[in-house]
Amino acid sequence: MAAGVFLATTGEGLVRATPGAGGAWDVAYLLSRRIVRCLAADPLAPHVVYAGTEHEGVLRSDDGGLTWAPTGLAGRNVRALAVSRAAPGTVYAGTKPALVFVSRDAGATWAELAGFRRIASRRFWFSPAERPYRAYVQ
């Protein structure tokens, strides 16, 4: 992202804040009515940002969070995202229920990560006050 750009999830959507005139902040509310669970910026291209959503998969922004487009995993509840510094274009997404997906082409295609075994749901795997109690990747 550009210097001085901040993104934060709000529960429904996200906020993008940039420095404005006279020390004030310009604040934009984006992705309203979407539950954004996590954010990750590409360490090699910080203007590229990914958002993990509940039931809408992964969204991608190529302009530091101004505009967003779906990039895969539609219908999935994405709870964690990571972008690799060592392997350009590689993005990992953790979901609920517990699965890990990988994209090696900056989100154009996704595959379940080989070798990662599904974690069975148990009563002790839960996020407080969140039903149904199913394991997920955090």
Side-chain angles (χ1 to χ4, degrees), residues 40-129:
D42 186 327
L44 302 175
H47 60 282
V48 176
V49 184
Y50 297 88
T53 68
E54 190 161 315
H55 307 299
E56 294 186 53
V58 179
L59 306 177
R60 178 184 160 134
S61 173
D62 291 323
D63 56 13
L66 286 172
T67 60
W68 296 85
T71 189
L73 301 180
R76 301 261 181 201
N77 184 345
V78 178
R79 292 299 185 100
L81 288 169
V83 184
S84 176
R85 178 181 294 278
T90 301
V91 184
Y92 298 94
T95 66
K96 181 178 183 179
L99 294 170
V100 176
F101 292 88
V102 63
S103 172
R104 300 191 193 286
D105 52 14
T109 60
W110 294 86
E112 192 172 335
L113 188 62
F116 182 83
R117 64 182 183 94
R118 180 175 234 150
I119 300 170
S121 294
R122 300 279 188 261
R123 288 190 65 132
F124 52 85
W125 290 101
F126 70 94
S127 175

Side-chain angles (χ1 to χ4, degrees), residues 8-15 31-37 54:
T9 62
T10 65
E12 285 194 13
L14 60 89
V15 173
L31 301 177
S32 63
R33 297 188 196 96
R34 288 191 170 137
I35 300 173
V36 179
R37 294 290 188 179
E54 190 161 315

